[in-house]
Amino acid sequence: LGGGVVATSLLPRSKGKDAGWVLITFGWGLAVFAGVYVAFRSGGHLNPAVTVAKALAHLFDPSVDLAPGVAVTAVNVCIYIAAQFLGAFTGAVLNWLVFKQHFDEDTDPATKLAVFSTGPAIRSYGWNLVTEAIATAVLVIWVFVSGATETAIGPLAVALMVVAIGMSLGGPTGYAINPARDLGPRLAHALLPIRGKGGSDWGYSWVPVVGPLLGAVIATLVVYSTGVV
């Protein structure tokens, strides 16, 4: 759903062409809303940054689990992260199938890549990294304080925060705030037979992975050093 709203807004001959940033941010927020509810029994983990944050939180508070009945162990963390990347990759492939004829139209290769992965408005790896780290820290802190995995209202709270982050902090980098969301679809872009697709911009690919993971560490340290939860 997240990739689909970008495709709707960007790809040639789409009925939603040029709908713009507001549509994209709300579409991504609603996609997260749906995804967290569907994954609620697993703790709503769609994002490796959240999983890593929960694992780090367990070091401060051994009562913290990935989800009710799911202990923080190295095996469980690896399974969660693998599933997140697989889900993101699969979603990107499904999105390509939905918009196959639109991807076949002549358009800028960068536009086709933008449906799959993020890219900076101004390329500066250090500052792009800072942006992704701060934006993800905001998200992860909110996950901790909103009870996203413990209450029925949590998924809506997280979804609205994703919209807020997109509108307020998303302009510089396109706000990956999730390593799986960027790297999984970027790999799909590289592997799929997309007409006129160009390169997958692997030179930038580390930023939306390292930045969110750094943000997760920062957020966990902030939460447990200030006693917010």
Short mmCIF file of all heavy atoms in Angstrom, two decimals, residues 173-209:
data_model
loop_
_atom_site.label_atom_id
_atom_site.label_comp_id
_atom_site.label_asym_id
_atom_site.label_seq_id
_atom_site.Cartn_x
_atom_site.Cartn_y
_atom_site.Cartn_z
N THR A 173 14.79 13.54 2.62
CA THR A 173 15.21 12.20 2.17
C THR A 173 14.08 11.32 1.66
O THR A 173 14.34 10.23 1.17
CB THR A 173 15.90 11.44 3.32
OG1 THR A 173 14.96 11.26 4.39
CG2 THR A 173 17.13 12.18 3.82
N GLY A 174 12.84 11.75 1.81
CA GLY A 174 11.73 10.87 1.46
C GLY A 174 11.34 9.94 2.58
O GLY A 174 10.52 9.06 2.40
N TYR A 175 11.94 10.12 3.74
CA TYR A 175 11.63 9.44 5.02
C TYR A 175 11.44 7.93 4.91
O TYR A 175 10.36 7.40 5.04
CB TYR A 175 10.46 10.12 5.75
CG TYR A 175 9.05 9.95 5.22
CD1 TYR A 175 8.09 9.27 5.98
CD2 TYR A 175 8.67 10.49 3.99
CE1 TYR A 175 6.79 9.14 5.52
CE2 TYR A 175 7.38 10.36 3.54
CZ TYR A 175 6.43 9.68 4.30
OH TYR A 175 5.14 9.56 3.84
N ALA A 176 12.55 7.22 4.75
CA ALA A 176 12.48 5.76 4.82
C ALA A 176 12.05 5.33 6.22
O ALA A 176 11.12 4.54 6.38
CB ALA A 176 13.82 5.14 4.47
N ILE A 177 12.75 5.81 7.24
CA ILE A 177 12.53 5.51 8.66
C ILE A 177 12.32 4.01 8.92
O ILE A 177 11.73 3.63 9.93
CB ILE A 177 11.40 6.35 9.29
CG1 ILE A 177 10.06 6.15 8.58
CG2 ILE A 177 11.79 7.82 9.30
CD1 ILE A 177 8.88 6.88 9.25
N ASN A 178 12.81 3.19 8.02
CA ASN A 178 12.60 1.75 8.10
C ASN A 178 13.56 1.08 7.12
O ASN A 178 13.38 1.21 5.90
CB ASN A 178 11.15 1.42 7.75
CG ASN A 178 10.84 -0.07 7.81
OD1 ASN A 178 11.72 -0.91 7.67
ND2 ASN A 178 9.57 -0.39 7.98
N PRO A 179 14.58 0.37 7.60
CA PRO A 179 15.54 -0.25 6.69
C PRO A 179 14.91 -1.24 5.72
O PRO A 179 15.29 -1.31 4.55
CB PRO A 179 16.51 -0.97 7.64
CG PRO A 179 16.41 -0.23 8.93
CD PRO A 179 14.97 0.19 9.02
N ALA A 180 13.92 -2.02 6.20
CA ALA A 180 13.28 -3.02 5.33
C ALA A 180 12.47 -2.35 4.24
O ALA A 180 12.48 -2.79 3.08
CB ALA A 180 12.40 -3.94 6.17
N ARG A 181 11.77 -1.28 4.59
CA ARG A 181 10.94 -0.57 3.64
C ARG A 181 11.75 -0.07 2.45
O ARG A 181 11.25 0.01 1.32
CB ARG A 181 10.24 0.60 4.33
CG ARG A 181 9.52 1.59 3.41
CD ARG A 181 10.41 2.77 3.04
NE ARG A 181 9.78 3.64 2.05
CZ ARG A 181 9.85 3.47 0.74
NH1 ARG A 181 10.47 2.42 0.22
NH2 ARG A 181 9.30 4.33 -0.09
N ASP A 182 13.01 0.27 2.67
CA ASP A 182 13.83 0.79 1.57
C ASP A 182 14.64 -0.30 0.88
O ASP A 182 14.62 -0.42 -0.35
CB ASP A 182 14.79 1.86 2.10
CG ASP A 182 15.45 2.62 0.97
OD1 ASP A 182 16.49 2.15 0.45
OD2 ASP A 182 14.92 3.68 0.58
N LEU A 183 15.34 -1.13 1.65
CA LEU A 183 16.26 -2.09 1.05
C LEU A 183 15.53 -3.23 0.35
O LEU A 183 15.95 -3.67 -0.73
CB LEU A 183 17.20 -2.64 2.12
CG LEU A 183 18.35 -3.51 1.61
CD1 LEU A 183 19.21 -2.76 0.61
CD2 LEU A 183 19.21 -4.00 2.78
N GLY A 184 14.43 -3.71 0.92
CA GLY A 184 13.68 -4.79 0.29
C GLY A 184 13.16 -4.39 -1.09
O GLY A 184 13.41 -5.09 -2.09
N PRO A 185 12.43 -3.28 -1.20
CA PRO A 185 11.96 -2.84 -2.51
C PRO A 185 13.10 -2.43 -3.45
O PRO A 185 12.98 -2.60 -4.67
CB PRO A 185 11.07 -1.64 -2.18
CG PRO A 185 10.57 -1.93 -0.80
CD PRO A 185 11.75 -2.56 -0.11
N ARG A 186 14.18 -1.91 -2.92
CA ARG A 186 15.31 -1.55 -3.79
C ARG A 186 15.88 -2.81 -4.46
O ARG A 186 16.25 -2.79 -5.64
CB ARG A 186 16.40 -0.84 -2.98
CG ARG A 186 17.46 -0.14 -3.86
CD ARG A 186 18.55 0.48 -3.00
NE ARG A 186 18.07 1.51 -2.11
CZ ARG A 186 17.98 2.81 -2.44
NH1 ARG A 186 18.36 3.21 -3.64
NH2 ARG A 186 17.54 3.69 -1.56
N LEU A 187 15.94 -3.90 -3.69
CA LEU A 187 16.39 -5.16 -4.25
C LEU A 187 15.40 -5.66 -5.30
O LEU A 187 15.80 -6.18 -6.35
CB LEU A 187 16.56 -6.20 -3.14
CG LEU A 187 17.04 -7.59 -3.57
CD1 LEU A 187 18.41 -7.50 -4.24
CD2 LEU A 187 17.10 -8.52 -2.36
N ALA A 188 14.10 -5.50 -5.02
CA ALA A 188 13.09 -5.89 -6.01
C ALA A 188 13.27 -5.09 -7.29
O ALA A 188 13.17 -5.64 -8.40
CB ALA A 188 11.69 -5.66 -5.43
N HIS A 189 13.54 -3.80 -7.17
CA HIS A 189 13.78 -2.96 -8.35
C HIS A 189 14.96 -3.48 -9.15
O HIS A 189 14.93 -3.52 -10.39
CB HIS A 189 14.03 -1.52 -7.91
CG HIS A 189 14.40 -0.58 -9.02
ND1 HIS A 189 15.71 -0.39 -9.43
CD2 HIS A 189 13.63 0.21 -9.82
CE1 HIS A 189 15.73 0.48 -10.42
NE2 HIS A 189 14.49 0.86 -10.68
N ALA A 190 16.00 -3.90 -8.46
CA ALA A 190 17.20 -4.39 -9.14
C ALA A 190 16.92 -5.70 -9.87
O ALA A 190 17.51 -5.95 -10.94
CB ALA A 190 18.33 -4.58 -8.14
N LEU A 191 16.05 -6.55 -9.33
CA LEU A 191 15.83 -7.88 -9.88
C LEU A 191 14.70 -7.95 -10.89
O LEU A 191 14.72 -8.81 -11.78
CB LEU A 191 15.56 -8.87 -8.75
CG LEU A 191 16.70 -9.09 -7.75
CD1 LEU A 191 16.27 -10.03 -6.63
CD2 LEU A 191 17.94 -9.64 -8.44
N LEU A 192 13.70 -7.10 -10.77
CA LEU A 192 12.53 -7.19 -11.64
C LEU A 192 12.84 -6.69 -13.05
O LEU A 192 13.64 -5.77 -13.24
CB LEU A 192 11.38 -6.35 -11.06
CG LEU A 192 10.69 -6.92 -9.81
CD1 LEU A 192 9.76 -5.89 -9.21
CD2 LEU A 192 9.93 -8.20 -10.15
N PRO A 193 12.17 -7.26 -14.07
CA PRO A 193 12.37 -6.82 -15.45
C PRO A 193 11.56 -5.58 -15.78
O PRO A 193 10.60 -5.61 -16.57
CB PRO A 193 11.89 -8.05 -16.25
CG PRO A 193 10.82 -8.65 -15.40
CD PRO A 193 11.27 -8.44 -13.97
N ILE A 194 11.94 -4.46 -15.17
CA ILE A 194 11.22 -3.20 -15.35
C ILE A 194 11.78 -2.48 -16.58
O ILE A 194 12.98 -2.20 -16.64
CB ILE A 194 11.35 -2.31 -14.11
CG1 ILE A 194 10.84 -3.05 -12.87
CG2 ILE A 194 10.59 -1.00 -14.29
CD1 ILE A 194 11.22 -2.38 -11.56
N ARG A 195 10.92 -2.17 -17.52
CA ARG A 195 11.37 -1.55 -18.76
C ARG A 195 11.96 -0.16 -18.48
O ARG A 195 11.35 0.68 -17.83
CB ARG A 195 10.20 -1.41 -19.73
CG ARG A 195 10.56 -0.83 -21.09
CD ARG A 195 9.36 -0.76 -21.99
NE ARG A 195 8.82 -2.10 -22.26
CZ ARG A 195 7.68 -2.30 -22.94
NH1 ARG A 195 6.98 -1.27 -23.37
NH2 ARG A 195 7.26 -3.54 -23.15
N GLY A 196 13.20 0.07 -18.95
CA GLY A 196 13.84 1.38 -18.84
C GLY A 196 14.09 1.84 -17.43
O GLY A 196 14.02 3.03 -17.14
N LYS A 197 14.41 0.90 -16.54
CA LYS A 197 14.45 1.26 -15.12
C LYS A 197 15.72 1.96 -14.69
O LYS A 197 15.72 2.66 -13.67
CB LYS A 197 14.27 0.01 -14.27
CG LYS A 197 15.40 -1.02 -14.38
CD LYS A 197 15.14 -2.21 -13.50
CE LYS A 197 16.23 -3.27 -13.63
NZ LYS A 197 15.97 -4.44 -12.77
N GLY A 198 16.84 1.78 -15.33
CA GLY A 198 18.08 2.40 -14.87
C GLY A 198 18.63 1.68 -13.64
O GLY A 198 18.19 0.60 -13.26
N GLY A 199 19.60 2.32 -12.99
CA GLY A 199 20.24 1.74 -11.81
C GLY A 199 19.38 1.86 -10.56
O GLY A 199 18.40 2.60 -10.52
N SER A 200 19.78 1.12 -9.52
CA SER A 200 19.03 1.09 -8.26
C SER A 200 19.64 1.99 -7.19
O SER A 200 19.23 1.93 -6.02
CB SER A 200 18.93 -0.35 -7.74
OG SER A 200 18.30 -1.18 -8.69
N ASP A 201 20.61 2.81 -7.55
CA ASP A 201 21.25 3.78 -6.64
C ASP A 201 21.77 3.11 -5.37
O ASP A 201 21.47 3.52 -4.25
CB ASP A 201 20.27 4.90 -6.28
CG ASP A 201 20.97 6.10 -5.63
OD1 ASP A 201 22.22 6.16 -5.67
OD2 ASP A 201 20.26 6.98 -5.08
N TRP A 202 22.59 2.07 -5.57
CA TRP A 202 23.15 1.36 -4.42
C TRP A 202 24.10 2.23 -3.61
O TRP A 202 24.33 1.96 -2.42
CB TRP A 202 23.84 0.09 -4.89
CG TRP A 202 22.87 -0.93 -5.38
CD1 TRP A 202 22.66 -1.30 -6.67
CD2 TRP A 202 21.95 -1.68 -4.59
NE1 TRP A 202 21.67 -2.25 -6.74
CE2 TRP A 202 21.21 -2.51 -5.47
CE3 TRP A 202 21.67 -1.75 -3.22
CZ2 TRP A 202 20.22 -3.38 -5.03
CZ3 TRP A 202 20.69 -2.62 -2.79
CH2 TRP A 202 19.98 -3.42 -3.68
N GLY A 203 24.65 3.28 -4.22
CA GLY A 203 25.54 4.16 -3.48
C GLY A 203 24.86 4.85 -2.32
O GLY A 203 25.50 5.18 -1.31
N TYR A 204 23.55 5.07 -2.43
CA TYR A 204 22.79 5.72 -1.35
C TYR A 204 22.15 4.70 -0.42
O TYR A 204 21.73 5.05 0.68
CB TYR A 204 21.70 6.61 -1.95
CG TYR A 204 20.86 7.33 -0.93
CD1 TYR A 204 21.36 8.45 -0.25
CD2 TYR A 204 19.57 6.89 -0.61
CE1 TYR A 204 20.59 9.11 0.70
CE2 TYR A 204 18.80 7.55 0.33
CZ TYR A 204 19.32 8.65 0.99
OH TYR A 204 18.56 9.30 1.95
N SER A 205 22.08 3.44 -0.82
CA SER A 205 21.25 2.45 -0.13
C SER A 205 21.59 2.24 1.34
O SER A 205 20.73 1.82 2.12
CB SER A 205 21.33 1.11 -0.86
OG SER A 205 22.65 0.59 -0.80
N TRP A 206 22.83 2.54 1.74
CA TRP A 206 23.21 2.32 3.14
C TRP A 206 22.59 3.36 4.08
O TRP A 206 22.36 3.08 5.25
CB TRP A 206 24.73 2.32 3.29
CG TRP A 206 25.38 3.64 2.99
CD1 TRP A 206 25.75 4.11 1.77
CD2 TRP A 206 25.71 4.67 3.93
NE1 TRP A 206 26.30 5.37 1.88
CE2 TRP A 206 26.30 5.73 3.20
CE3 TRP A 206 25.58 4.79 5.31
CZ2 TRP A 206 26.74 6.91 3.81
CZ3 TRP A 206 26.04 5.96 5.94
CH2 TRP A 206 26.60 6.99 5.18
N VAL A 207 22.29 4.54 3.55
CA VAL A 207 21.78 5.63 4.41
C VAL A 207 20.44 5.27 5.03
O VAL A 207 20.26 5.40 6.26
CB VAL A 207 21.69 6.95 3.63
CG1 VAL A 207 21.00 8.03 4.47
CG2 VAL A 207 23.07 7.42 3.20
N PRO A 208 19.43 4.80 4.25
CA PRO A 208 18.15 4.45 4.87
C PRO A 208 18.18 3.13 5.64
O PRO A 208 17.14 2.70 6.17
CB PRO A 208 17.19 4.36 3.67
CG PRO A 208 18.06 4.13 2.49
CD PRO A 208 19.37 4.79 2.78
N VAL A 209 19.33 2.50 5.73
CA VAL A 209 19.49 1.35 6.61
C VAL A 209 20.18 1.78 7.91
O VAL A 209 19.67 1.56 9.02
CB VAL A 209 20.30 0.22 5.93
CG1 VAL A 209 20.61 -0.90 6.92
CG2 VAL A 209 19.54 -0.33 4.73
#
